[in-house]
Structures are given as C-alpha cells and as structure tokens.
Amino acid sequence: MNPSCSRCDKTVYPTEKVNCLDKYWHKGCFSCEVCKMTLNMKNYKGFEKKPYCSQHYPKTSFTSVADTPENLRLKQQSKMQSQVLYKEEFEKNKGKGFSVVTDTPELQRIKKTQDQISNIKYHEEFEKSRMGGEAPPADNDSNQGYQQQSYNYDPQPVAPASAPAPAPAPAPAPAAAAPPPSGGKRYRAMYDYAAADDDEVSFAEGDVILDVQQIDEGWMFGRVQRTGAQGMLPANYVEMA
C-alpha cells in the first residue's frame, strides 16, 4: 500500500516519492516550511522532522546564565581555589628543578643507560685500584653489553620533517547550462543564497540578477550582474527590480 504525503495527505506513488525525515513526500511537496521553496536531498535542513531551506532554518538561541549572581559567586570561588592550589604546588615543588621532565620515557631510558655506564666504569676503577695496575680485559659478553649500552645512549639524528605534498588542484566545475533565449527580466536578490548544485548560481542580498527567465513554478535562470555567473536560482529568493 502506498503511503500518504506528509504535506498534502494524498497518496505518494513510487515514481514521485521522497523518503526523508522519517516521512514520505511528493517531490513537489518537499519544500521549506516558511518560504515553500522546493527542496532536494542536497539543500534541505531538517528541524523537528520538518524541512527548511538554509535561509529559514530555525536558529536556536541559548540563554546566558554566567551573569547570574550565583554563577558569578561560584566562578569567583573557583578562581580563588585555583590560585590557592597553584601557590601550594609552587611552594611544594620550589627548589626541585624540573623533576616532571625526568618522568618522560625517553629521559628515563637515558638515565638508566647512564647509571649502567657509571656502574661499569666504577667496577673498572675498582679493579685497577685493587690490582695496582690496569684492570683485566673483560670478556666478550661484557664488551658487547657495554657497546650496546653506549650505542643506545647515543642520540639518533632526527630527519627533518618533509613538507606535505601539495593538495591536487580541484577539478573545474562544469559550466552552467546555457540560458534560455534573450528577453529576460531584471530582478533583485532578497536573501543570500549558496548554490547547492553545479547548475545553480550563488548570490548575496541586494545583487541584481539580469536576463531572468522563468523555468518552472519554483526556479528561474539568470545572470548575477556583480559576478557574471549564471545558472539556476530559487524564484522566492528574488523580486522584480
């Protein structure tokens, strides 16, 4: 059974059905709740399961509560507590240097390596002083361990980061469809409009639209005098100049 249109309550057949916002619409009935401009799946905006164009989409406003006396008092109290905690941490860590930095994994590894090298040198000096001469040569395993520790201690050069590859140039947009025969009228834009498809044209409030031709009940074709761009435009966004 075919569903009913959410706008006109008439039966919606598959060839003219638009399924959007959990409802079914005729293609001609899927229009803005305010200006009744015909919409499509690319340029509609839903609010409370109703379609709107970008110009008439409801803008929610938020009430500022930061200026109430209670919130101002809480804000001031939080600020004072933060300053007290900061002073306590500062006094606690004063004179300790940059102890937080030594907790990084890299510096912990370097510190551990330095401790191991210091232990090896200490044992060598101890053997020299006890034997009254040079320390006996260490076995191969010890030498390898020492070399490995020394190798780990040497900082590795960091290659400079290469610049990111430039983004590919965008493909040129297809040219707008050719205008209908001459004899169009002069219109003026009442609202800003951003093109949703390649065959549409963008304009700002107050722009003059030349050579305007009526395409159907909701759309026209014209050329924006300011930019020289031409294409489709919604009929309810302009008025005759």
PDB file of all heavy atoms in Angstrom, residues 72-88:
ATOM      1  N   LEU A  72      28.163  33.894  39.200  1.00  0.00           N
ATOM      2  CA  LEU A  72      29.325  34.769  39.369  1.00  0.00           C
ATOM      3  C   LEU A  72      30.058  34.452  40.669  1.00  0.00           C
ATOM      4  O   LEU A  72      31.295  34.457  40.720  1.00  0.00           O
ATOM      5  CB  LEU A  72      28.882  36.233  39.362  1.00  0.00           C
ATOM      6  CG  LEU A  72      28.447  36.801  38.007  1.00  0.00           C
ATOM      7  CD1 LEU A  72      27.902  38.210  38.173  1.00  0.00           C
ATOM      8  CD2 LEU A  72      29.629  36.799  37.039  1.00  0.00           C
ATOM      9  N   ARG A  73      29.297  34.157  41.728  1.00  0.00           N
ATOM     10  CA  ARG A  73      29.930  33.808  43.008  1.00  0.00           C
ATOM     11  C   ARG A  73      30.696  32.495  42.891  1.00  0.00           C
ATOM     12  O   ARG A  73      31.828  32.376  43.364  1.00  0.00           O
ATOM     13  CB  ARG A  73      28.856  33.690  44.097  1.00  0.00           C
ATOM     14  CG  ARG A  73      29.418  33.437  45.494  1.00  0.00           C
ATOM     15  CD  ARG A  73      28.307  33.200  46.483  1.00  0.00           C
ATOM     16  NE  ARG A  73      27.575  31.987  46.177  1.00  0.00           N
ATOM     17  CZ  ARG A  73      28.015  30.754  46.509  1.00  0.00           C
ATOM     18  NH1 ARG A  73      29.161  30.612  47.154  1.00  0.00           N
ATOM     19  NH2 ARG A  73      27.306  29.703  46.198  1.00  0.00           N
ATOM     20  N   LEU A  74      30.095  31.491  42.220  1.00  0.00           N
ATOM     21  CA  LEU A  74      30.778  30.208  42.039  1.00  0.00           C
ATOM     22  C   LEU A  74      32.025  30.366  41.182  1.00  0.00           C
ATOM     23  O   LEU A  74      33.052  29.728  41.431  1.00  0.00           O
ATOM     24  CB  LEU A  74      29.816  29.204  41.402  1.00  0.00           C
ATOM     25  CG  LEU A  74      28.631  28.763  42.266  1.00  0.00           C
ATOM     26  CD1 LEU A  74      27.694  27.877  41.476  1.00  0.00           C
ATOM     27  CD2 LEU A  74      29.119  28.042  43.518  1.00  0.00           C
ATOM     28  N   LYS A  75      31.926  31.217  40.148  1.00  0.00           N
ATOM     29  CA  LYS A  75      33.088  31.436  39.288  1.00  0.00           C
ATOM     30  C   LYS A  75      34.235  32.070  40.067  1.00  0.00           C
ATOM     31  O   LYS A  75      35.393  31.670  39.947  1.00  0.00           O
ATOM     32  CB  LYS A  75      32.683  32.328  38.119  1.00  0.00           C
ATOM     33  CG  LYS A  75      33.801  32.603  37.136  1.00  0.00           C
ATOM     34  CD  LYS A  75      33.314  33.480  35.995  1.00  0.00           C
ATOM     35  CE  LYS A  75      34.439  33.789  35.033  1.00  0.00           C
ATOM     36  NZ  LYS A  75      33.978  34.679  33.928  1.00  0.00           N
ATOM     37  N   GLN A  76      33.905  33.079  40.899  1.00  0.00           N
ATOM     38  CA  GLN A  76      34.933  33.739  41.693  1.00  0.00           C
ATOM     39  C   GLN A  76      35.536  32.781  42.720  1.00  0.00           C
ATOM     40  O   GLN A  76      36.755  32.776  42.950  1.00  0.00           O
ATOM     41  CB  GLN A  76      34.318  34.960  42.405  1.00  0.00           C
ATOM     42  CG  GLN A  76      35.311  35.784  43.197  1.00  0.00           C
ATOM     43  CD  GLN A  76      36.320  36.472  42.316  1.00  0.00           C
ATOM     44  OE1 GLN A  76      36.082  36.659  41.132  1.00  0.00           O
ATOM     45  NE2 GLN A  76      37.446  36.861  42.880  1.00  0.00           N
ATOM     46  N   GLN A  77      34.692  31.932  43.315  1.00  0.00           N
ATOM     47  CA  GLN A  77      35.184  30.964  44.293  1.00  0.00           C
ATOM     48  C   GLN A  77      36.113  29.940  43.649  1.00  0.00           C
ATOM     49  O   GLN A  77      37.159  29.594  44.210  1.00  0.00           O
ATOM     50  CB  GLN A  77      33.989  30.263  44.953  1.00  0.00           C
ATOM     51  CG  GLN A  77      34.390  29.274  46.047  1.00  0.00           C
ATOM     52  CD  GLN A  77      33.179  28.650  46.711  1.00  0.00           C
ATOM     53  OE1 GLN A  77      32.053  29.007  46.388  1.00  0.00           O
ATOM     54  NE2 GLN A  77      33.392  27.742  47.622  1.00  0.00           N
ATOM     55  N   SER A  78      35.738  29.474  42.453  1.00  0.00           N
ATOM     56  CA  SER A  78      36.599  28.517  41.741  1.00  0.00           C
ATOM     57  C   SER A  78      37.936  29.146  41.380  1.00  0.00           C
ATOM     58  O   SER A  78      38.988  28.500  41.470  1.00  0.00           O
ATOM     59  CB  SER A  78      35.887  28.024  40.469  1.00  0.00           C
ATOM     60  OG  SER A  78      34.686  27.369  40.801  1.00  0.00           O
ATOM     61  N   LYS A  79      37.904  30.405  40.988  1.00  0.00           N
ATOM     62  CA  LYS A  79      39.144  31.096  40.641  1.00  0.00           C
ATOM     63  C   LYS A  79      40.062  31.216  41.859  1.00  0.00           C
ATOM     64  O   LYS A  79      41.278  31.004  41.773  1.00  0.00           O
ATOM     65  CB  LYS A  79      38.813  32.467  40.072  1.00  0.00           C
ATOM     66  CG  LYS A  79      40.018  33.238  39.592  1.00  0.00           C
ATOM     67  CD  LYS A  79      39.584  34.550  38.961  1.00  0.00           C
ATOM     68  CE  LYS A  79      40.803  35.343  38.463  1.00  0.00           C
ATOM     69  NZ  LYS A  79      40.397  36.638  37.864  1.00  0.00           N
ATOM     70  N   MET A  80      39.482  31.557  43.016  1.00  0.00           N
ATOM     71  CA  MET A  80      40.285  31.678  44.227  1.00  0.00           C
ATOM     72  C   MET A  80      40.873  30.335  44.643  1.00  0.00           C
ATOM     73  O   MET A  80      42.035  30.246  45.045  1.00  0.00           O
ATOM     74  CB  MET A  80      39.421  32.258  45.356  1.00  0.00           C
ATOM     75  CG  MET A  80      38.981  33.702  45.127  1.00  0.00           C
ATOM     76  SD  MET A  80      37.820  34.284  46.382  1.00  0.00           S
ATOM     77  CE  MET A  80      38.846  34.157  47.840  1.00  0.00           C
ATOM     78  N   GLN A  81      40.076  29.259  44.522  1.00  0.00           N
ATOM     79  CA  GLN A  81      40.585  27.931  44.859  1.00  0.00           C
ATOM     80  C   GLN A  81      41.727  27.528  43.935  1.00  0.00           C
ATOM     81  O   GLN A  81      42.712  26.939  44.365  1.00  0.00           O
ATOM     82  CB  GLN A  81      39.450  26.913  44.780  1.00  0.00           C
ATOM     83  CG  GLN A  81      38.420  27.061  45.890  1.00  0.00           C
ATOM     84  CD  GLN A  81      37.285  26.071  45.751  1.00  0.00           C
ATOM     85  OE1 GLN A  81      37.180  25.393  44.740  1.00  0.00           O
ATOM     86  NE2 GLN A  81      36.434  25.999  46.762  1.00  0.00           N
ATOM     87  N   SER A  82      41.602  27.860  42.650  1.00  0.00           N
ATOM     88  CA  SER A  82      42.673  27.538  41.707  1.00  0.00           C
ATOM     89  C   SER A  82      43.958  28.268  42.065  1.00  0.00           C
ATOM     90  O   SER A  82      45.053  27.712  41.977  1.00  0.00           O
ATOM     91  CB  SER A  82      42.228  27.896  40.285  1.00  0.00           C
ATOM     92  OG  SER A  82      41.082  27.159  39.909  1.00  0.00           O
ATOM     93  N   GLN A  83      43.831  29.539  42.469  1.00  0.00           N
ATOM     94  CA  GLN A  83      45.029  30.294  42.841  1.00  0.00           C
ATOM     95  C   GLN A  83      45.675  29.721  44.097  1.00  0.00           C
ATOM     96  O   GLN A  83      46.896  29.627  44.190  1.00  0.00           O
ATOM     97  CB  GLN A  83      44.653  31.762  43.058  1.00  0.00           C
ATOM     98  CG  GLN A  83      44.247  32.484  41.782  1.00  0.00           C
ATOM     99  CD  GLN A  83      43.800  33.898  42.051  1.00  0.00           C
ATOM    100  OE1 GLN A  83      43.615  34.295  43.210  1.00  0.00           O
ATOM    101  NE2 GLN A  83      43.614  34.673  40.994  1.00  0.00           N
ATOM    102  N   VAL A  84      44.851  29.293  45.059  1.00  0.00           N
ATOM    103  CA  VAL A  84      45.394  28.701  46.284  1.00  0.00           C
ATOM    104  C   VAL A  84      46.126  27.403  45.963  1.00  0.00           C
ATOM    105  O   VAL A  84      47.242  27.150  46.435  1.00  0.00           O
ATOM    106  CB  VAL A  84      44.274  28.471  47.309  1.00  0.00           C
ATOM    107  CG1 VAL A  84      44.781  27.659  48.486  1.00  0.00           C
ATOM    108  CG2 VAL A  84      43.710  29.805  47.788  1.00  0.00           C
ATOM    109  N   LEU A  85      45.515  26.538  45.140  1.00  0.00           N
ATOM    110  CA  LEU A  85      46.160  25.272  44.769  1.00  0.00           C
ATOM    111  C   LEU A  85      47.446  25.515  43.997  1.00  0.00           C
ATOM    112  O   LEU A  85      48.442  24.807  44.174  1.00  0.00           O
ATOM    113  CB  LEU A  85      45.188  24.435  43.932  1.00  0.00           C
ATOM    114  CG  LEU A  85      43.965  23.887  44.683  1.00  0.00           C
ATOM    115  CD1 LEU A  85      43.039  23.190  43.707  1.00  0.00           C
ATOM    116  CD2 LEU A  85      44.391  22.937  45.789  1.00  0.00           C
ATOM    117  N   TYR A  86      47.443  26.535  43.138  1.00  0.00           N
ATOM    118  CA  TYR A  86      48.651  26.835  42.371  1.00  0.00           C
ATOM    119  C   TYR A  86      49.795  27.262  43.296  1.00  0.00           C
ATOM    120  O   TYR A  86      50.947  26.820  43.150  1.00  0.00           O
ATOM    121  CB  TYR A  86      48.352  27.940  41.361  1.00  0.00           C
ATOM    122  CG  TYR A  86      49.578  28.460  40.665  1.00  0.00           C
ATOM    123  CD1 TYR A  86      50.169  27.756  39.632  1.00  0.00           C
ATOM    124  CD2 TYR A  86      50.168  29.660  41.067  1.00  0.00           C
ATOM    125  CE1 TYR A  86      51.299  28.226  39.008  1.00  0.00           C
ATOM    126  CE2 TYR A  86      51.297  30.142  40.446  1.00  0.00           C
ATOM    127  CZ  TYR A  86      51.868  29.417  39.419  1.00  0.00           C
ATOM    128  OH  TYR A  86      52.987  29.887  38.790  1.00  0.00           O
ATOM    129  N   LYS A  87      49.468  28.096  44.283  1.00  0.00           N
ATOM    130  CA  LYS A  87      50.512  28.550  45.212  1.00  0.00           C
ATOM    131  C   LYS A  87      51.033  27.381  46.051  1.00  0.00           C
ATOM    132  O   LYS A  87      52.221  27.275  46.320  1.00  0.00           O
ATOM    133  CB  LYS A  87      49.972  29.659  46.114  1.00  0.00           C
ATOM    134  CG  LYS A  87      49.714  30.962  45.370  1.00  0.00           C
ATOM    135  CD  LYS A  87      49.195  32.037  46.301  1.00  0.00           C
ATOM    136  CE  LYS A  87      48.946  33.343  45.561  1.00  0.00           C
ATOM    137  NZ  LYS A  87      48.418  34.403  46.461  1.00  0.00           N
ATOM    138  N   GLU A  88      50.123  26.471  46.447  1.00  0.00           N
ATOM    139  CA  GLU A  88      50.559  25.308  47.230  1.00  0.00           C
ATOM    140  C   GLU A  88      51.491  24.425  46.409  1.00  0.00           C
ATOM    141  O   GLU A  88      52.539  23.984  46.902  1.00  0.00           O
ATOM    142  CB  GLU A  88      49.333  24.504  47.683  1.00  0.00           C
ATOM    143  CG  GLU A  88      48.520  25.184  48.763  1.00  0.00           C
ATOM    144  CD  GLU A  88      47.312  24.362  49.160  1.00  0.00           C
ATOM    145  OE1 GLU A  88      47.072  23.321  48.519  1.00  0.00           O
ATOM    146  OE2 GLU A  88      46.628  24.753  50.116  1.00  0.00           O
TER     147      GLU A  88
END
